[in-house]
Amino acid sequence: MNKRMAFRLVLTGWLYLLTIGTSAQAQTSIVRMGAANTQLFDDGWLFSRFGLQADGSRREEPAHLEEEHLADGAWQQLNLPHDWAITGPFRIELDGNSGKLPWKGIGWYRKHFNIPAADAGKRIFVDFDGAMAYAKIWVNGQYVGTWPYGYNSFRMDITPYLHAGKENVIAVRLDTESWDSRWYPGAGIYRHVWLVKTNEVHVAHWGTYITTPTVTDKAAAVQVKVTVDNQGASPVKALVRTDVYELDIHNKPVKKITATSPTAITIAAGNNAITNATANVIAPKRWSIETPHRYLAQTIVSVNNKTVDTYNTAFGIRTIAFTPRDGFLLNGKRVAIKGVCNHHDLGALGAAINKSALTRQLKILSAMGCNAIRTSHNPPAPELLELADQLGFLVWDEAFDAWKHGKRKNDYNKLFPDWREKDLQALVHRDRNHPSVVIWSIGNEVMDQRDVAITKELADIVRKEDSTRPVSNAYNDPDGGRESGAAMALGLMGVNYFFSEQAKWDADPRYKDMPTMGSETSSCVSTRGEYFFDGDYKNWQVSSYDNAKPGWGCSPDEQFRTNAKYPHLLGEFVWTGFDYLGEPTPYNSDETNLLNFRNDPNKRAELEKALEALRKNNPPSRSSYFGIVDLCGFPKDRFYSYQAHWRPNLPMAHLFPHWNWPERIDSIVPVHVYTSGDEAELFLNGKSLGRKTKQPGVNFRLIWNDVKYTPGELKVVAYKDGKPWATDVIKTAGSAVKLSLQPESKSVVNDGEDLCYITLRVQDKDGIMVPRSHPLVTFSVEGPGEIVATDNGDPTSFVPFQSHDRPAFNGMAQVIVKAKKGAKGKLIVKAASEGLSPAAAIIEVR
Ligand code: GAL
């Protein structure tokens, strides 16, 4: 089996896992954990943009847009999640580091909604999963509250402002002009919003905390702490009980297995009380990466024998331990953390959350052997954690990119004085029941990383809310962080890039017992399908020979060597799994890059000069080159480097570059091979070019540096333990004659969210992809669906993601489609390009 087949097979397996039982079982699945009466509040919003506009002009923001009776009939109608900036246009004069997209502005959202008369006396909340940024909320013209940090989730109690039995209006003001970012943050209510209805006595927001203090193969003690609010005017006596069910991948409770005994509490008016009870699970099914079993804790609060609240919490039973010498232990077994850092955007979809896009990201990463995600550098969408729980990923859950001192003017430093505690508590309360979350991170390369007092204060806030996971901080000044003593306040040391003094710290009595990991590694840069023979950088692209990196980074191979040198390290989080919008290093003129050289004035001066030159040239680059896969999710060559290393038992070999070099006939074209085998033989047009052997721990790819280019067939046969293991073949393509479309799934669910990603390839007459072709392709659809976006992975493209016309980039492009809500039938997706035979793909809408 070759590696392309292996990639496909893994995807097919995942698809199977995700589709089994959806139709019949979905009705009883829990859509959203938390209060049982929680409804999606995404549809039917109105939007208007003020302040900075997409074209750079300004539109004055009138006063009192929150008013109940505002004439908002002409506002744009839309459904959430919504990212107001992803429609662009890309503008050359805007910052590359935040994607050259016009995300700064003031956005107002309004929604008219009815609250039935029968809801009088209920408590009604609106839960925002995230709104970028500086959210202020009004209901019926009255101010409800604010939550400025755009990445956190928050609840607004709108009960006092509502008219039961009548129409109500909620207004939300967002302001991204007051926010700065080192990457594309998106803009708007870019995550889901929920309407929650409870009685006056109910489980508090994120009011359950489930831990498993003892776990053996025979039994697990499940400790359930429940905070119950009494928002009524008189004290109540309540009974709190939690039933425990097995939970399937679709959030359907399968079987009740145990329960806590009921606990009686008295809750004063306007106050809360906490119950703490334990349930015993016999022969627990452990949550692990391979078998991510989950349970459901269903908490029932009753008053006078009447159920007043039902609250659902998914959790897992697993043990974790971080050891200084034996790495990370999950259920007592060592697991090397094979992680990637990812920013939150979903490429062509922008920051607007889409579960199907996120699921696809995780599937692609899993096929590579990745088992962990670092949510750089902010709280993720709740869907990420739910998917990580369901699919078996470990998560490094991160709070901030800045503390007291920002990297830019309007970073979190503006919020730090008043919000740090609230933001950290919100993160931990929301996420602490997820078995996937194994590490809390209070920061990334913050300016104050040597500050002992702040480090201790923030770590203590987290530990107070959850002491079952270590608190870490990602240091790009790990020596300073340790020398100052700040790192002593942590449970786990996070090292970004700078491992040169690691041996010294491993011997230091203060730190030798502190578990350590590569919280950020490599930062290799490349563009899919580009190969240069005289340097790594050209035309605002980066060669894909996987050696290019910024001054602080290293190739994947170099990092593997470092990891081998320090086998006690817990693992690594590669920067990054996916390309993302913004930060197009090495064509990024953002001065925050300099911060990586705070201890090296010479390197800093060198980089300063390079940045100055870059600024003069005004690079068109608007998205990153760091991804192991490109912005479309197409694997770059590096994908196979990690796959070879992280999935050593998967027979695979990957050859590169492509084999279309008419201008280099008889010139050298170096050939590289990633393989999970230990040696390999290369053949050009059937003739052996020799066999090469990997030296374990030393070289992680096989290189033939003396191959003279002749068109034809290049083939590699890899061996393991002397036996044939895997092959890969690439052939010189002829001229482009046709297009092909390959959907990643045969069907798409008509829920308005599910997406089908379709890969376009430009091919020669024999179906071989033409790797240097860039024809303009027009996509269209017939039937009950629409094109959501197109892309081609080119980090310099200014074609809007919503355009149906898109040039192929190095032989490939992508169209993303979705079905109309509730529709059925067949969706026909077409691609056409002048002079080439068109292609079509049929997708069933179900
Ligand atoms: C790190 C930083 C990341 C990203 C990366 C690029 O220093 O933490 O956010 O900027 O560099 O290599």
Side-chain angles (χ1 to χ4, degrees):
M1 177 169 56
N2 72 24
K3 59 98 211 330
R4 280 176 184 106
M5 264 173 75
F7 180 68
R8 247 174 261 140
L9 272 181
V10 170
L11 285 187
T12 317
W14 275 72
L15 286 177
Y16 169 74
L17 197 69
L18 290 171
T19 49
I20 36 170
T22 37
S23 47
Q25 300 176 356
Q27 287 147 15
T28 46
S29 294
I30 296 163
V31 175
R32 165 88 163 176
M33 292 295 156
N37 190 349
T38 299
Q39 297 147 29
L40 204 53
F41 204 51
D42 280 352
D43 286 355
W45 286 77
L46 301 168
F47 172 71
S48 197
R49 177 173 179 169
F50 301 91
L52 270 173
Q53 300 294 294
D55 62 2
S57 62
R58 284 202 81 88
R59 178 178 174 213
E60 203 190 322
E61 180 190 13
H64 303 307
L65 293 173
E66 73 279 9
E67 270 179 9
E68 191 173 357
H69 301 294
L70 188 84
D72 56 14
W75 286 29
Q76 183 190 343
Q77 296 177 17
L78 51 80
N79 297 332
L80 306 177
H82 173 236
D83 175 357
W84 79 57
I86 195 60
T87 43
F90 292 105
R91 295 199 346 248
I92 188 74
E93 74 279 14
L94 291 176
D95 268 356
N97 62 287
S98 55
K100 291 199 179 286
L101 283 164
W103 59 275
K104 290 226 173 201
I106 307 289
W108 275 87
Y109 292 82
R110 291 171 59 90
K111 176 178 161 98
H112 298 261
F113 61 104
N114 284 311
I115 292 291
D119 282 349
K122 288 236 149 72
R123 299 308 298 191
I124 300 190
F125 309 93
V126 181
D127 286 358
F128 290 82
D129 285 350
M132 188 64 70
Y134 284 90
K136 285 190 174 155
I137 287 102
W138 293 261
V139 166
N140 296 328
Q142 296 187 68
Y143 183 64
V144 182
T146 180
W147 201 288
Y149 191 31
Y151 292 107
N152 237 337
S153 301
F154 59 92
R155 162 170 283 190
M156 290 287 147
D157 184 350
I158 62 171
T159 318
Y161 317 101
L162 286 172
H163 315 309
K166 285 199 191 133
E167 186 183 276
N168 295 268
V169 61
I170 182 168
V172 180
R173 180 186 190 270
L174 299 179
D175 169 9
T176 46
E177 289 182 21
S178 306
W179 186 244
D180 281 336
S181 185
R182 299 191 301 113
W183 57 88
Y184 176 70
I189 309 181
Y190 68 108
R191 291 183 184 161
H192 293 294
V193 178
W194 307 85
L195 188 71
V196 182
K197 297 180 183 176
T198 70
N199 289 307
E200 284 180 334
V201 176
H202 62 94
V203 175
H205 188 216
W206 301 319
T208 53
Y209 178 34
I210 300 178
T211 51
T212 50
T214 55
V215 182
T216 66
D217 288 346
K218 287 201 178 122
V222 176
Q223 194 174 55
V224 188
K225 272 193 191 169
V226 183
T227 307
V228 184
D229 284 348
N230 173 12
Q231 292 193 276
S234 23
V236 287
K237 283 195 161 80
L239 215 55
V240 181
R241 182 191 89 222
T242 297
D243 297 336
V244 178
Y245 295 79
E246 284 184 11
L247 192 63
D248 79 3
I249 192 160
H250 305 293
N251 281 356
K252 185 182 171 231
V254 183
K255 185 167 86 183
K256 183 171 158 185
I257 49 163
T258 185
T260 66
S261 43
T263 310
I265 39 169
T266 303
I267 321 165
N271 215 323
N272 63 46
I274 298 172
T275 63
N276 195 348
T278 302
N280 216 21
V281 174
I282 304 297
K285 294 185 179 165
R286 308 275 184 116
W287 183 92
S288 73
I289 292 167
E290 299 78 24
T291 57
H293 291 299
R294 293 176 311 147
Y295 291 90
L296 175 77
Q298 188 160 75
T299 302
I300 291 150
V301 183
S302 50
V303 175
N304 296 331
N305 285 329
K306 231 181 98 196
T307 298
V308 293
D309 196 23
T310 303
Y311 188 98
N312 296 309
T313 313
F315 70 98
I317 298 177
R318 46 94 176 126
T319 63
I320 55 171
F322 293 82
T323 73
R325 294 288 151 246
D326 299 323
F328 169 63
L329 309 181
L330 179 63
N331 298 318
K333 277 198 265 166
R334 180 161 190 180
V335 173
I337 295 183
K338 303 165 180 174
V340 299
C341 303
N342 267 347
H343 274 309
H344 73 311
D345 75 67
L346 295 167
L349 308 180
I353 183 68
N354 178 289
K355 199 167 172 180
S356 132
L358 205 55
T359 308
R360 175 178 177 266
Q361 280 202 344
L362 294 178
K363 286 190 311 195
I364 291 169
L365 294 171
S366 173
M368 184 171 74
C370 167
N371 63 15
I373 307 287
R374 173 175 176 222
T375 70
S376 40
H377 303 299
N378 45 259
E383 286 78 6
L384 177 74
L385 300 181
E386 188 171 72
L387 286 170
D389 287 354
Q390 291 171 337
L391 304 176
F393 277 83
L394 308 170
V395 175
W396 163 298
D397 200 351
E398 189 148 284
F400 305 125
D401 193 48
W403 293 348
K404 192 169 172 184
H405 297 94
K407 297 169 189 170
R408 306 169 74 81
K409 189 165 154 255
N410 293 319
D411 282 342
Y412 194 79
N413 52 306
K414 285 278 155 78
L415 300 174
F416 187 82
D418 299 329
W419 284 89
R420 61 185 185 275
E421 186 171 5
K422 282 177 270 198
D423 273 320
L424 274 176
Q425 281 171 347
L427 172 71
V428 179
H429 287 177
R430 190 194 68 170
D431 296 348
R432 64 188 170 181
N433 295 319
H434 288 280
S436 57
V437 174
V438 293
I439 301 165
W440 299 116
S441 165
I442 51 176
N444 171 61
E445 300 186 352
V446 294
M447 303 297 287
D448 320 280
Q449 58 196 286
R450 292 181 181 211
D451 192 312
V452 181
I454 300 183
T455 309
K456 184 161 183 334
E457 183 203 324
L458 299 183
D460 283 345
I461 294 171
V462 173
R463 279 191 285 257
K464 194 169 155 226
E465 308 304 327
D466 175 51
S467 57
T468 68
R469 301 156 172 97
V471 181
S472 193
N473 187 17
Y475 285 91
N476 63 341
D477 180 14
D479 304 328
R482 288 185 271 213
E483 260 151 27
S484 62
M488 282 167 90
L490 304 170
L492 195 161
M493 180 69 199
V495 177
N496 288 10
Y497 307 105
F498 296 93
F499 280 99
S500 56
E501 299 297 313
Q502 187 58 36
K504 178 181 114 186
W505 295 112
D506 283 344
D508 188 297
R510 289 171 298 167
Y511 293 104
K512 72 177 182 24
D513 290 333
M514 181 175 262
T516 303
M517 78 172 299
S519 36
E520 207 172 300
T521 59
S522 183
S523 268
C524 183
V525 276
S526 61
T527 310
R528 175 185 53 78
E530 296 283 326
Y531 304 93
F532 309 141
F533 305 98
D534 47 358
D536 283 323
Y537 309 103
K538 204 183 276 183
N539 303 328
W540 309 115
Q541 303 294 359
V542 184
S543 180
S544 226
Y545 273 112
D546 294 344
N547 291 314
K549 77 262 173 191
W552 55 90
C554 65
S555 64
D557 320 46
E558 188 59 42
Q559 185 64 40
F560 294 152
R561 281 191 279 275
T562 302
N563 297 349
K565 221 159 104 189
Y566 307 110
H568 63 288
L569 291 183
L570 308 168
E572 62 171 312
F573 285 102
V574 181
W575 189 267
T576 50
F578 270 66
D579 270 339
Y580 51 96
L581 295 168
E583 214 186 19
T585 305
Y587 308 116
N588 177 15
S589 47
D590 180 9
E591 68 285 351
T592 59
N593 278 339
L594 298 173
L595 298 173
N596 273 326
F597 294 118
R598 60 186 86 214
N599 299 330
D600 191 339
N602 292 338
K603 275 217 158 165
R604 198 182 160 104
E606 205 180 289
L607 187 62
E608 227 155 39
K609 249 176 137 177
L611 288 182
E612 228 176 272
L614 258 186
R615 283 198 192 108
K616 280 191 198 125
N617 282 324
N618 203 5
S621 306
R622 49 66 169 164
S623 52
S624 85
Y625 300 77
F626 288 118
I628 300 171
V629 297
D630 74 7
L631 205 66
C632 295
F634 298 149
K636 299 181 190 172
D637 295 299
R638 260 186 290 152
F639 179 94
Y640 300 101
S641 162
Y642 288 100
Q643 192 180 56
H645 192 58
W646 286 351
R647 298 183 68 190
N649 297 325
L650 174 78
M652 54 74 62
H654 174 79
L655 266 178
F656 61 108
H658 61 71
W659 213 239
N660 270 63
W661 303 103
E663 75 282 23
R664 294 185 72 82
I665 292 195
D666 285 338
S667 298
I668 298 287
V669 174
V671 173
H672 293 212
V673 169
Y674 294 129
T675 176
S676 50
D678 40 36
E679 49 184 327
E681 186 166 8
L682 186 68
F683 299 89
L684 178 54
N685 293 327
K687 190 173 160 256
S688 173
L689 300 184
R691 193 156 163 158
K692 295 195 187 271
T693 308
K694 283 203 270 180
Q695 252 182 289
V698 177
N699 58 342
F700 295 88
R701 60 175 110 180
L702 297 170
I703 301 175
W704 284 259
N705 260 334
D706 48 2
V707 182
K708 283 200 181 146
Y709 177 74
T710 320
E713 183 190 271
L714 194 65
K715 178 175 173 179
V716 69
V717 180
Y719 295 84
K720 192 160 189 163
D721 301 326
K723 294 195 193 95
W725 176 248
T727 60
D728 193 21
V729 178
I730 43 176
K731 291 180 181 166
T732 306
S735 4
V737 299
K738 58 182 179 185
L739 302 176
S740 90
L741 283 176
Q742 194 180 2
E744 287 180 16
S745 54
K746 289 193 181 130
S747 63
V748 64
V749 181
N750 61 5
D751 60 0
E753 186 178 28
D754 195 27
L755 302 173
C756 181
Y757 283 75
I758 303 159
T759 303
L760 172 125
R761 285 192 180 81
V762 184
Q763 297 180 331
D764 73 359
K765 64 178 189 0
D766 299 320
I768 301 171
M769 189 185 80
V770 186
R772 293 166 82 180
S773 56
H774 303 86
L776 182 66
V777 179
T778 300
F779 294 99
S780 57
V781 287
E782 279 169 27
E786 62 185 84
I787 293 176
V788 178
T790 63
D791 191 9
N792 62 13
D794 175 1
T796 67
S797 171
F798 274 30
V799 177
F801 289 121
Q802 300 72 32
S803 172
H804 295 190
D805 298 321
R806 160 126 0 230
F809 179 63
N810 293 331
M812 294 170 85
Q814 173 176 74
V815 55
I816 309 168
V817 299
K818 72 172 182 184
K820 286 212 174 80
K821 233 178 176 169
K824 289 258 178 220
K826 290 201 185 325
L827 188 60
I828 305 170
V829 182
K830 294 181 171 177
S833 181
E834 215 184 305
L836 302 176
S837 306
I842 298 176
I843 294 140
E844 195 203 331
V845 175
R846 55 184 179 92

